[in-house]
Amino acid sequence: MTDKRLILITGQIGLLAAILVGIGEFLLHYDSLARYTDTFAFFEGVTRERATVGHFFGVLGAPLYVVGAYHIYLMLRPAHETAARIGGLVMAYGCIVGAVWIGSRATAVELVAAGSVEDQLALYELRYESLLQIVRGAVLILSGVFVWLCLTGRSLYPRKMAVLNPIFLIIVSFVIFFTVPAVGKYVMPIALNVAYFVMFSVSLVVASKLKNEG
């Protein structure tokens, strides 16, 4: 069995990643006018200074998600070793690709601020927005594995933890955005990080109650 201390430490690092990247993405993406249905319009309200600070929070925090992925693997492993490993590796891979993506956002702010640069924005979209599809696919696969292994009742999570999968939590952020926009405009720009924050927070609560059998 895995040492409880390792489970807790990796979970805490995953939670720290959610906080740091959440701060970074908020600084990069928050728009008081909530223009999130337009690919780049929300960048118009982001200053160069804010984008720079957000860039470093996001880029320096994102690699820590890989350690968080190991925590999720450890918690799911008793249910099915292979599936848990796949889920953890997919999450780690998605987070690494996500780190490349978030590292590009400060550049997008500059492109939008520069004005009429349609060709450059199109190239940016091809090079970096396409990476977001890989991140989304990884989150989808992780969520499926997470739900399946939680529902087996053999992981270190209770079955009800299955509802706190990233996809469901992201959907909740969308619902909040469209039903309570005054609140949703703060959640929407960092939806995935909010999902991981909730996921790791609850996971740490569960892990703290485990018996140390390491």
Side-chain angles (χ1 to χ4, degrees), residues 87 90-91 93-95 133-143 196:
V90 168
M91 178 182 176
Y93 183 81
C95 290
Q133 306 311 314
I134 296 175
V135 177
R136 288 168 175 164
V139 172
L140 182 62
I141 292 171
L142 168 66
S143 295
Y196 280 145

Side-chain angles (χ1 to χ4, degrees), residues 4 6 26 49 62 64 74 78 80 82 96 149 157-158 177 197:
K4 177 180 175 180
L6 178 60
F26 185 84
E49 293 75 15
L64 299 179
L74 293 175
H80 195 290
T82 301
I96 291 169
L149 296 186
Y157 293 119
F177 176 67
F197 178 85

Side-chain angles (χ1 to χ4, degrees), residues 24-210:
E25 198 167 1
F26 185 84
L27 291 172
L28 285 163
H29 292 164
Y30 174 69
D31 175 31
S32 60
L33 300 178
R35 291 168 288 186
Y36 301 121
T37 55
D38 188 310
T39 306
F40 297 114
F42 58 87
F43 280 134
E44 293 176 10
V46 181
T47 64
R48 172 177 291 176
E49 293 75 15
R50 204 178 96 188
T52 300
V53 174
H55 169 80
F56 283 109
F57 266 100
V59 170
L60 296 178
L64 299 179
Y65 267 135
V66 175
V67 181
Y70 186 63
H71 169 81
I72 299 300
Y73 157 71
L74 293 175
M75 295 294 287
L76 294 174
R77 184 170 63 174
H80 195 290
E81 166 74 28
T82 301
R85 182 173 297 176
I86 290 172
L89 288 173
V90 168
M91 178 182 176
Y93 183 81
C95 290
I96 291 169
V97 173
V100 176
W101 173 79
I102 199 170
S104 74
R105 302 306 267 171
T107 300
V109 172
E110 291 296 315
L111 288 173
V112 171
S116 182
V117 286
E118 287 79 6
D119 290 343
Q120 289 92 328
L121 282 173
L123 186 59
Y124 170 86
E125 192 164 9
L126 171 64
R127 289 175 175 173
Y128 293 106
E129 286 298 293
S130 58
L131 296 181
L132 192 56
Q133 306 311 314
I134 296 175
V135 177
R136 288 168 175 164
V139 172
L140 182 62
I141 292 171
L142 168 66
S143 295
V145 171
F146 188 82
V147 170
W148 168 40
L149 296 186
C150 282
L151 291 179
T152 66
R154 297 192 301 273
S155 76
L156 298 181
Y157 293 119
R159 284 187 174 89
K160 61 185 178 182
M161 182 73 180
V163 74
L164 295 182
N165 67 83
I167 288 295
F168 176 76
L169 293 172
I170 290 171
I171 291 172
V172 171
S173 290
F174 273 84
V175 171
I176 293 173
F177 176 67
F178 287 111
T179 58
V180 192
V183 175
K185 69 179 183 178
Y186 296 103
V187 177
M188 189 65 176
I190 55 172
L192 179 55
N193 297 293
V194 170
Y196 280 145
F197 178 85
V198 173
M199 190 177 180
F200 281 117
S201 295
V202 179
S203 185
L204 279 168
V205 171
V206 174
S208 69
K209 297 178 181 179
L210 297 174

